[in-house]
Amino acid sequence: VSALIELILSFEEERAELDKETAGKKLVALLATLEVFAESSPTLLIEHIDTILPYLKGENGVSRDNEAAIAASVCKTISRCSQHLSAVDAERLSGVIVEDLSKVINRLGPNAMSAAIEALSRLAAHPDAGTMPETKLLALAKTFYSFLYRACDTDIAKLKASNRGMVHRALSALGSICRFHDF
């Protein structure tokens, strides 16, 4: 894990020399590998969590697909580590990343959205995270449900493709919230 963190830091130093696609693929590979370690031994990543948090901002200068893969990997890493956070770290993180996670939920593709909802749910389940993660999760659920409620009398076949996509997104988000969060 320490070696991977060092690779990420050295990648950031050499990033300017790489083209956008190569930089995106390399960053996705590094963070996906870190995600594997988070799955097998999340406690090893606790001290390095602050190093990967900036990648949630969505300002990585890579393609939209790579941005979604980066966000999904970081969110999954946060999910795995969240139950092992100390009280101080849980409280601090819940104040720092809730808005970034909600931006991922609203902006990126279905895999990143589901991973961000899972991270927000796991953080909300931490006894020391405060109420901000759960409040944000409920607000997102209300937003998606309200949209679906307004669209419930509409024939989906008659909707424009973009509106059908929004219905699908709202259904997916609500499904993920129900899957990951214990109300």
Side-chain angles (χ1 to χ4, degrees):
V1 169
S2 295
L4 270 172
I5 295 297
E6 287 298 321
L7 280 173
I8 290 171
L9 294 174
S10 66
F11 162 78
E12 288 301 333
E13 292 172 1
E14 70 181 33
R15 178 184 229 171
E17 301 166 10
L18 300 173
D19 64 278
K20 182 178 176 179
E21 189 61 28
T22 304
K25 287 180 180 180
K26 189 168 184 176
L27 189 54
V28 167
L30 288 167
L31 291 170
T33 306
L34 203 59
E35 178 192 338
V36 171
F37 282 101
E39 224 173 280
S40 62
S41 187
T43 56
L44 294 175
L45 281 121
I46 298 295
E47 66 184 82
H48 302 291
I49 203 93
D50 288 327
T51 304
I52 63 170
L53 288 181
Y55 295 108
L56 276 180
K57 298 261 184 230
E59 301 165 355
N60 298 307
V62 298
S63 70
R64 188 164 175 84
D65 289 342
N66 286 336
E67 195 68 63
I70 289 166
S73 288
V74 173
C75 289
K76 289 177 184 175
T77 300
I78 291 167
S79 293
R80 304 300 180 266
C81 294
S82 63
Q83 64 185 346
H84 302 286
L85 292 172
S86 68
V88 173
D89 285 339
E91 186 178 355
R92 181 181 58 82
L93 277 182
S94 69
V96 172
I97 65 170
V98 168
E99 285 306 314
D100 292 337
L101 290 172
S102 64
K103 285 179 186 175
V104 169
I105 292 166
N106 289 317
R107 195 174 52 86
L108 295 176
N111 291 338
M113 178 180 67
S114 180
I117 289 171
E118 181 181 8
L120 197 55
S121 297
R122 307 271 173 164
L123 198 54
H126 195 287
D128 300 308
T131 60
M132 191 183 301
E134 187 167 38
T135 302
K136 188 56 146 178
L137 200 57
L138 291 173
L140 287 165
K142 183 178 178 183
T143 299
F144 288 122
Y145 182 80
S146 296
F147 172 78
L148 288 172
Y149 185 77
R150 287 189 308 272
C152 71
D153 292 332
T154 308
D155 183 8
I156 196 151
K158 293 180 182 177
L159 289 176
K160 289 189 260 180
S162 62
N163 288 342
R164 279 195 305 268
M166 289 170 36
V167 168
H168 181 265
R169 181 175 197 76
L171 287 169
S172 296
L174 285 173
S176 292
I177 291 170
C178 291
R179 177 180 176 200
F180 295 118
H181 190 66
D182 186 22
F183 291 99

